[in-house]
Amino acid sequence: MKSETKAKFGLTKLELRDLVLLAMVVAIKVVLGKFSVGNATLQVGFGFIGSVMLGFFFGPWWGFVGGALSDLVSSAIFGNLGGFFIGYTLTAALGPMIYGFFFYKKPVQIWRVIAATILVTIICNIWLNTLWVSLMYGAKFMAALATRIVKEMITPWIQMIITWFVLQALSRVKQSKKF
Amino acid sequence: MSIKFKNVSYIYNPGSPLEAVGLDDLSFELEEGKFIALVGHTGSGKSTLMQHFNALLKPSSGEIEIAGYKITPETSNKGLKGLRQKVSLVFQFPEAQLFESTVLRDIEYGPKNFGFSDEEAEKVARKWLEKVGLKADVAEKSPFDLSGGQMRRVAIAGVMAYEPDIICLDEPAAGLDPQGRIEMMELFKQYQAEGHTVILVTHNMDDVADYADDVLVMEHGQLIKHDVPREVFKDRDWLFKHHLSEPHSSLFADKLGKAGFAIKQPLTINELADEIAARLKGVPHE
């Protein structure tokens, strides 16, 4: 990021170059969101890697914008399972925002990875997304939570490991002449 | 041993509205240890064919025999690692695949993936760093801090470091300066001379004339000719009809012919010079 002019709401002003990079990272997040690894019982999606990239490169505020945009773009191209709902857009925006608070212009440290992943898991995945599911399907919150909680207890640990290596690679790129 | 394709077809996205034929009933046999050129206009199926050599794509029907492996539509992904150690692909603009923290580690990545020990991997990485024409002092640099040509060399070193029996190169010299281009082509020629098979996908007919022993010509997913360069470039009208160009020396000879200075069709610059000298003095040039 070359320009550092502070604008309202803590949003730094983006040069056109950075804006294009933001669009590219949004596109990367959309594409990564289509990928997952694992077996029939446990699937870990890769969308969170895009969130980490948004937070790491652009910070919490532009990360929020990028996250929301990625959800809209993804819905427009691929559609949403179970229809469009603005709540999921909010969740998609909050993830990169939280990562941004922990990773943007900060050294890559284990505690940051652990804290950021746990916060995203609790706020976005366990609390908000469960709330949206229960709202959309008229189920009780606890009932919706029960179906999701097992996965949300396992995936964060996998995500932390992946995030750690992703951040190492991203910092290498950020330090190179290409950036 | 040889590389055998038996009635190989490949269809992209079968059964969907995006269905498209990539390869249409290909049969040929390539001798190992040769320098083979794969030519054809854009979209003729060169890349699709190339990705069949190490089973990145598996045929929709037919059978491939390569490097002691047999690939059929039912071939599973398990057990293909050995194949990929023997048959390597260098994609177009391979510098895009660089990712490690240092040049050396990037070159070591392939060998380590194929089970080389750390010491062995470092040894071959240093050897190939030198072979592709880079100085030893770039070894500890980040690959992202190199020039485009240097990055290309690092990427090619990474694919050649574990010394595959068969190497397929998709326009490996595209966008290099003339000197770098010659160095790269000579490197592949030397690699072939040492007993490996080189398959070169290219649009540059001078390279085909200079280096290839055998040429595969593709059009619309079909193999329309499989012959030595001299035979492929023999019929100018045929080349024109199939959107192929000729080596520059052959084009120049044509111009000479039109000006009333007829010589036998040469393939390379040296042959052209010989032919002209022979016409002028009746003695071949050195």
Side-chain angles (χ1 to χ4, degrees):
Chain A
M1 298 314 100
K2 300 278 178 289
S3 61
E4 293 302 328
T5 333
K6 280 266 176 186
K8 279 182 282 187
F9 316 118
L11 274 176
T12 51
K13 258 192 181 168
L14 288 193
E15 278 177 25
L16 182 59
R17 185 180 176 278
D18 300 328
L19 191 67
V20 174
L21 182 64
L22 178 69
M24 283 168 64
V25 178
V26 167
I28 289 170
K29 176 161 155 58
V30 170
V31 173
L32 283 171
K34 301 302 287 179
F35 285 89
S36 59
V37 284
N39 50 29
T41 31
L42 184 70
Q43 288 274 322
V44 182
F46 281 160
F48 78 95
I49 296 175
S51 303
V52 169
M53 291 177 77
L54 282 171
F56 176 81
F57 283 132
F58 296 99
W61 308 108
W62 282 111
F64 183 94
V65 174
L69 282 174
S70 75
D71 182 71
L72 297 178
V73 171
S74 175
S75 317
I77 302 174
F78 301 113
N80 278 69
L81 213 61
F84 180 77
F85 180 63
I86 194 82
Y88 294 113
T89 312
L90 180 65
T91 317
L94 283 175
M97 183 174 166
I98 295 169
Y99 286 126
F101 280 125
F102 284 91
F103 302 148
Y104 183 54
K105 292 186 174 168
K106 301 277 191 338
V108 180
Q109 286 162 318
I110 291 177
W111 76 265
R112 291 183 179 278
V113 174
I114 295 174
T117 308
I118 288 178
L119 270 182
V120 170
T121 304
I122 291 174
I123 297 174
C124 300
N125 300 350
I126 296 184
W127 178 46
L128 284 175
N129 275 354
T130 309
L131 183 65
W132 310 141
V133 169
S134 66
L135 281 177
M136 284 182 79
Y137 297 102
K140 288 219 169 63
F141 184 88
M142 291 315 286
L145 184 63
T147 62
R148 299 166 48 83
I149 193 73
V150 179
K151 182 184 150 87
E152 295 306 337
M153 300 293 277
I154 303 169
T155 48
W157 312 105
I158 301 167
Q159 290 183 350
M160 284 174 202
I161 297 168
I162 298 175
T163 302
W164 173 255
F165 288 107
V166 166
L167 287 174
Q168 305 283 344
L170 293 179
S171 357
R172 279 211 303 273
V173 174
K174 208 172 178 178
Q175 281 156 19
S176 80
K177 288 176 192 162
K178 302 270 176 215
F179 201 78
Chain B
M1 270 209 300
S2 61
I3 301 166
K4 269 188 222 154
F5 274 58
K6 268 184 249 165
N7 305 103
V8 171
S9 294
Y10 184 78
I11 298 162
Y12 283 99
N13 305 307
S16 82
L18 294 169
E19 183 173 302
V21 175
L23 297 179
D24 188 4
D25 198 23
L26 250 57
S27 295
F28 58 83
E29 190 170 343
L30 301 171
E31 214 178 306
E32 286 199 11
K34 297 275 172 145
F35 200 112
I36 298 137
L38 180 51
V39 301
H41 60 79
T42 307
S44 60
K46 299 188 297 291
S47 299
T48 310
L49 174 56
M50 184 172 140
Q51 290 175 63
H52 278 77
F53 285 124
N54 75 353
L56 279 183
L57 296 176
K58 282 162 219 143
S60 304
S61 63
E63 196 179 288
I64 301 165
E65 274 176 47
I66 186 166
Y69 285 76
K70 188 177 264 188
I71 306 160
T72 64
E74 292 80 30
T75 301
S76 87
N77 282 328
K78 287 200 178 105
L80 288 180
K81 201 162 175 174
L83 171 67
R84 286 168 187 162
Q85 184 171 3
K86 288 185 170 174
V87 186
S88 277
L89 309 186
V90 176
F91 295 103
Q92 210 168 55
F93 303 112
E95 55 272 29
Q97 72 200 26
L98 300 178
F99 74 105
E100 264 286 6
S101 51
T102 69
V103 165
L104 202 64
R105 291 174 71 156
D106 215 301
I107 302 175
E108 286 171 353
Y109 180 79
K112 281 186 178 167
N113 198 26
F114 291 124
F116 284 51
S117 70
D118 288 3
E119 298 81 48
E120 283 174 320
E122 189 179 336
K123 212 177 112 203
V124 295
R126 288 200 185 275
K127 174 181 158 194
W128 279 92
L129 186 72
E130 196 195 312
K131 278 200 135 184
V132 296
L134 289 170
K135 293 214 178 69
D137 63 2
V138 301
E140 302 302 328
K141 277 194 184 172
S142 162
F144 301 115
D145 291 338
L146 303 180
S147 75
Q150 288 175 314
M151 286 173 78
R152 174 78 55 89
R153 287 157 197 262
V154 172
I156 288 174
V159 179
M160 296 180 84
Y162 48 90
E163 308 205 358
D165 295 342
I166 301 169
I167 187 162
C168 312
L169 306 137
D170 193 350
E171 294 273 6
L176 287 185
D177 59 280
Q179 184 58 34
R181 164 174 210 103
I182 292 168
E183 281 174 25
M184 278 287 127
M185 293 307 300
E186 291 295 335
L187 174 74
F188 303 137
K189 188 68 197 174
Q190 190 200 338
Y191 191 69
Q192 180 242 331
E194 286 165 3
H196 306 96
T197 309
V198 173
I199 303 174
L200 175 74
V201 178
T202 187
H203 287 285
N204 186 320
M205 297 304 163
D206 288 333
D207 287 346
V208 177
D210 287 341
Y211 300 104
D213 306 310
D214 202 8
V215 186
L216 292 171
V217 186
M218 300 278 300
E219 188 178 63
H220 304 309
Q222 288 170 329
L223 183 68
I224 55 168
K225 205 174 203 86
H226 176 197
D227 216 326
V228 293
R230 192 164 301 281
E231 292 300 316
V232 171
F233 292 124
K234 210 174 193 175
D235 185 350
R236 177 160 291 140
D237 297 328
W238 184 86
L239 290 168
F240 184 76
K241 193 178 144 213
H242 296 287
H243 316 284
L244 295 167
S245 58
E246 288 174 65
H248 282 101
S249 46
S250 155
L251 289 170
F252 188 72
D254 183 44
K255 279 188 185 164
L256 288 177
K258 282 186 180 135
F261 188 90
I263 55 169
K264 219 169 73 194
Q265 190 197 12
L267 282 186
T268 63
I269 298 289
N270 276 332
E271 277 182 40
L272 174 69
D274 283 344
E275 291 296 334
I276 295 173
R279 254 301 296 270
L280 289 175
K281 306 185 278 187
V283 264
H285 104 125
E286 313 291 290

